Amino acid sequence: MVYEAGSGIEGLEVLRARQVNLILSDINMPAMDGLEFLRQIRAQNLALGVPVLMITTESSEEHVKQAILAGAQGYIRKPFTAEQVKERVLPLVDAG
């Protein structure tokens, strides 16, 4: 099952109501960016042990570092191919 949210705030609502196996989050989102979304997931003890993969258009290494420090298990830069997503997602799902 795939759940979708248009912002970090909606994402937190989904995580409060549903159990998930993987979180894919864009860094750039309205209302609450992906880094704050990730921090809130951890602060609210939502989706414990669930891997988070960040998606970004940012070329800045600083955003990637912040995501990893906040608990993301990896990232994908846009534009990306289906093969790149598969390479990043499968190890996270198989490990769980």
Side-chain angles (χ1 to χ4, degrees):
M1 178 72 58
V2 174
Y3 303 103
E4 204 174 325
S7 71
I9 293 170
E10 289 177 19
L12 292 175
E13 292 172 9
V14 169
L15 294 177
R16 287 185 194 107
R18 307 280 186 209
Q19 184 175 1
V20 299
N21 297 317
L22 175 71
I23 299 169
L24 298 175
S25 174
D26 202 322
I27 287 180
N28 295 313
M29 295 188 294
M32 176 188 298
D33 70 23
L35 293 173
E36 183 59 27
F37 172 62
L38 180 55
R39 290 184 190 108
Q40 288 299 315
I41 291 170
R42 302 304 186 219
Q44 296 180 36
N45 292 320
L46 298 171
L48 294 174
V50 174
V52 178
L53 190 62
M54 303 301 289
I55 301 170
T56 182
T57 58
E58 303 295 333
S59 59
S60 168
E61 287 298 315
E62 188 57 35
H63 283 97
V64 172
K65 288 179 188 174
Q66 288 178 20
I68 300 300
L69 287 173
Q73 280 68 39
Y75 66 95
I76 300 174
R77 282 209 172 98
K78 294 178 193 174
F80 49 81
T81 65
E83 188 61 33
Q84 289 170 317
V85 173
K86 184 178 172 182
E87 287 174 8
R88 299 291 178 128
V89 168
L90 286 182
L92 296 175
V93 173
D94 289 343

